[in-house]
Amino acid sequence: MIETDILIIGAGPTGLFTVFEAGLLKLRTHIIDALPQPGGQCAEIYPKKPIYDIPAFPEILAGDLVENLMQQIEPFEPGFTLAERAETLEKLDDGSFIVTTNKGTKHHAPVVVIAGGLGSFEPRKPLISNLADFEDKGVVYMIKDPEVYRNKKVVISGGGDSALDWAIFLADVASEVSLVHRRNEFRGALDSVEKASELAKLGKIKLFTQAEVVRLYGDDNLEAVVVKHNDEGKGESYVETDYFIPLFGLSPKLGPIGNWGLEIEKNAIKVNNAYDYQTNIAGVYAIGDVNTYPGKLKLILSGFHEAAVMCQSAYQKINPGKRYVMKYTTVGGVEGFDGSKKEAKKEVVQSITA
Ligand SMILES: Cc1cc2nc3c(=O)[nH]c(=O)nc-3n(C[C@H](O)[C@H](O)[C@H](O)COP(=O)(O)OP(=O)(O)OC[C@H]3O[C@@H](n4cnc5c(N)ncnc54)[C@H](O)[C@@H]3O)c2cc1C
């Protein structure tokens, strides 16, 4: 059981900044995210796009914003449960909560804050009749640790950046990499397309274009896939493999949070914005894109503000009767933050996010 003071669901900009605000109040935090990396929409949808409305940053790339947030929260040493979706919420008699993920990891905290944005990003799955039989037995939809694939045979399908980038990366890790795409043209960045074609010429990637995986074979675990060639007369290829990784993108869904007994309006969680962004379940807050109230603006800066307000309320819940005097960070500083170590910290953050 993972124990913390504030359990945060969602590692988007709002969830990450909550770690900072909670840390100023000396509250421990732990974050769950369904994605294998922190950053929410900024990291998953538009890491290379510039954002122009983050106060004091005339322009910042979404990916750099996430990197800066990771650096800012590093002194508070938050815990992370990544690549797992928060599935159930159970309220205990003492008012605290247990949140369990789809992989069975249990987290216990007196306060839960949902910073789930548009919802958890669910993989788009290809229509293959026995796909579900091999999930976690060779079929995976997200690559969390590339070392898992060392000296293994891997079939990746998809035509976007993710499929290309992972095929290129795994060409040096796996014993065999096949990349299967329905069309002749890839949608990914030009340099990735060129690199993949180069590796195909060198025999480091087996490229199947105008083709798709249509069947899976194996006893307990996946052993082979059948690739159907869509241009006439070419038939099918039987490709032995340990892993099949369809990378067709992710689509957000409110998902299991919608069944937790929270008041929902238009796919968002209703909160009390006059006070502290608490939901209809005492001790459960909702902040950032996932909540709704009159006048709500779905912007990153709204999430930051809501995180600050919500943490003050959580402090009172966790420390009933204890008086907290708010100090400016210019006065109180940030415990554990040493400007001279900024560069070293940046490296740590990069290795976490890599
Ligand atoms: C193309 C694009 C451009 C944008 N440009 C701007 C801009 O210029 N300025 C601006 O202010 N905003 C912009 N936005 C909006 C901004 O990205 C969002 O307001 C912001 O990401 C909201 O942050 P968040 O942390 O609340 O949610 P998100 O970033 O959506 O993060 C939520 C996280 O919660 C996780 N999650 C959800 N449910 C679960 C669950 N059950 N279990 C585990 N994890 C879960 C998700 O996987 C996700 O990582 C843009 C959005 C897009 C798509």
Side-chain angles (χ1 to χ4, degrees), residues 1-159:
M1 181 83 80
I2 293 167
E3 296 281 347
T4 190
D5 295 326
I6 301 185
L7 179 66
I8 303 165
I9 298 169
T14 306
L16 294 179
F17 194 63
T18 308
V19 173
F20 182 81
E21 288 296 326
L24 292 180
L25 303 172
K26 301 204 180 348
L27 297 174
R28 293 171 306 155
T29 43
H30 188 96
I31 308 190
I32 306 176
D33 203 296
L35 294 174
Q37 79 284 327
Q41 293 172 52
C42 293
E44 189 56 38
I45 306 180
Y46 63 109
K48 302 281 180 217
K49 277 200 166 155
I51 308 177
Y52 301 98
D53 57 351
I54 302 298
F57 283 96
E59 178 182 339
I60 183 165
L61 293 182
D64 289 347
L65 178 76
V66 173
E67 202 174 287
N68 286 358
L69 283 165
M70 288 297 287
Q71 194 180 336
Q72 193 172 20
I73 67 176
E74 204 256 331
F76 301 114
E77 299 176 350
F80 284 96
T81 301
L82 294 176
E84 296 189 27
R85 189 182 57 222
E87 203 73 17
T88 58
L89 172 85
E90 185 192 342
K91 190 164 191 170
L92 304 182
D93 290 343
D94 65 357
S96 65
F97 300 92
I98 292 181
V99 172
T100 308
T101 68
N102 58 332
K103 300 267 158 97
T105 314
K106 291 191 179 292
H107 308 74
H108 177 236
V111 165
V112 171
V113 53
I114 302 169
L118 302 174
S120 64
F121 288 90
E122 305 291 330
R124 292 200 183 90
K125 300 182 183 181
L127 293 171
I128 300 173
S129 60
N130 60 347
L131 188 75
D133 298 346
F134 292 101
E135 281 177 355
D136 290 331
K137 294 177 184 167
V139 170
V140 289
Y141 302 106
M142 286 181 205
I143 296 178
K144 191 177 170 191
D145 174 10
E147 275 306 307
V148 168
Y149 308 99
R150 185 161 295 278
N151 301 325
K152 303 283 183 196
K153 291 180 176 171
V154 174
V155 174
I156 293 176
S157 60

